[in-house]
Amino acid sequence: MRVLVTGGAGYIGSHGARALKRRGHEVVIYDNFNTGHRELAQGFELIEGNVGDAFTLARALRDIDAVMHFAAHSLVGESVQNPRKYFENNVGDGLVLLNTCVECGVHKFIFSSTAAVYGNPREVPIAEDAPKQPVNPYGFSKLSFEYAMQSYDPAYGLRFMSLRYFNAAGCDESGEIGELHDPETHLIPAALQSATGARNELQIFGDDYQTPDGTCIRDYIHVDDLAEAHVLALEHLAAGGASNILNLGTGKGHTVKEVVTTIERVIGRELPKRIVGRRPGDPPVLLADPSRAEKMLGWKATRSLEQMVASAWKFHQLRSRARAV
Ligand SMILES: NC(=O)c1ccc[n+]([C@@H]2O[C@H](COP(=O)([O-])OP(=O)(O)OC[C@H]3O[C@@H](n4cnc5c(N)ncnc54)[C@H](O)[C@@H]3O)[C@@H](O)[C@H]2O)c1
């Protein structure tokens, strides 16, 4: 298949593009470089454009079989300060993409959704039919887009897979691509920044939760496991499979302290770190029930937390060396 990958110059999209290529699909990356990086899109056909630009999109979609839509804004805190930015990009511009796909006859669509659609869950692990009660505009914007896809399926024949990621982590084993967010709000790259001196210390938000060591539990999933699930989801649609919504996680949780200990073991030294107050809106435990994805796609996340940390560390080191030359 020839696949348009929006947001393919970003962290997860660049891994999705490589996973598609490894399976023999053709990839065209479509990105406006808002938060993306040219180095992550290297080696791919590239169209620079905004998903809200129907004219450029219609030309880009001419010979395309399917779309993987990673492009979005995804900083929870920023979405609270500036919800307009999130609804404009994640919903408004996203709808331009969806409409242009329908008009151009592109009916296979894979969407990057998020565990943020569940808000503070009543029970864990979280299954797909658990209540959807986002607690921030980012989560609302992603849920709104899911509702649009659910309405477009019976009306226009759009077939979609909405993939709700839990905590994406790690990097491709090559060390060539990885996580480059600015500001970095994710635990593992933020901790590695504190290891290299790029940030003064790692802040741990709260150690008084009802968990074994008092810190929050999250479901970390290796980005290459995520990327492979995208390819399988697409192939499922191509084989005539129906639209669906799938959680992507491992089903196993790690506390923040466990992640920090793993990082310290992998890099061989202690991190500068400090316990600070809880961050508003952080549930104590978020865990996926990934059984629907396993059943439907024959997929299972296989990579360990150790592999996530080691691959992220390799990317950080290679990048700092390359910048030093
Ligand atoms: N990182 C995570 O743990 C996580 C968890 C759940 C969901 N997600 C979702 O996964 C997707 C990718 O996240 P990421 O961490 O790779 O983010 P990222 O910021 O690294 O990548 C997003 C990419 O989309 C591009 N983009 C944004 N708006 C665009 C637009 N209007 N037109 C064209 N390109 C545009 C950016 O330039 C960037 O290259 C997002 O949809 C995000 O909401 C991420």
Side-chain angles (χ1 to χ4, degrees), residues 5 24 51 64 88 94 111 140 172 196 201 216 226 247 295:
V5 178
V51 294
I64 290 291
E88 278 176 357
F111 175 60
F140 277 116
D172 188 69
T196 56
E201 61 182 9
C216 286
L226 267 187
N247 283 338
K295 213 179 301 160

Side-chain angles (χ1 to χ4, degrees), residues 128 161-164 233 244-248 292-293 296-297:
E128 288 83 355
M161 282 288 197
S162 187
L163 304 179
R164 293 180 181 153
N244 217 320
I245 296 177
L246 305 176
N247 283 338
L248 295 182
R292 188 190 284 180
M296 180 155 296
L297 305 178

Side-chain angles (χ1 to χ4, degrees), residues 70-124:
F70 295 93
H73 294 319
S74 54
L75 294 171
V76 169
E78 185 187 56
S79 80
V80 176
Q81 302 299 319
N82 190 0
R84 177 177 173 169
K85 178 174 175 181
Y86 279 70
F87 282 94
E88 278 176 357
N89 197 32
N90 298 1
V91 183
D93 289 350
L95 285 179
V96 174
L97 171 65
L98 215 51
N99 295 339
T100 314
C101 282
V102 169
E103 282 155 20
C104 295
V106 177
H107 288 123
K108 292 184 279 298
F109 198 92
I110 309 293
F111 175 60
S112 297
S113 190
T114 167
V117 300
Y118 299 113
N120 296 320
R122 273 185 230 142
E123 23 180 274
V124 289

Side-chain angles (χ1 to χ4, degrees), residues 10-12 31-32 34-36 50-51 70 72 89 113 138 142 181:
Y11 168 46
I12 305 175
D31 202 296
N32 67 356
N34 185 289
T35 54
N50 192 308
V51 294
F70 295 93
N89 197 32
S113 190
Y138 167 62
K142 290 285 180 174
H181 296 126

Side-chain angles (χ1 to χ4, degrees), residues 202 204 213 255-269 271 273 305-306 309:
L202 177 70
I204 296 175
D213 64 21
T255 66
V256 174
K257 282 187 179 165
E258 276 167 13
V259 176
V260 169
T261 307
T262 307
I263 295 172
E264 292 180 335
R265 194 168 56 239
V266 168
I267 70 172
R269 60 176 186 272
L271 294 174
K273 54 187 180 292
L305 178 63
E306 192 99 15
V309 171

Side-chain angles (χ1 to χ4, degrees), residues 121-141:
R122 273 185 230 142
E123 23 180 274
V124 289
I126 308 170
E128 288 83 355
D129 48 11
K132 263 62 74 189
Q133 292 166 332
V135 291
N136 52 61
Y138 167 62
F140 277 116
S141 72

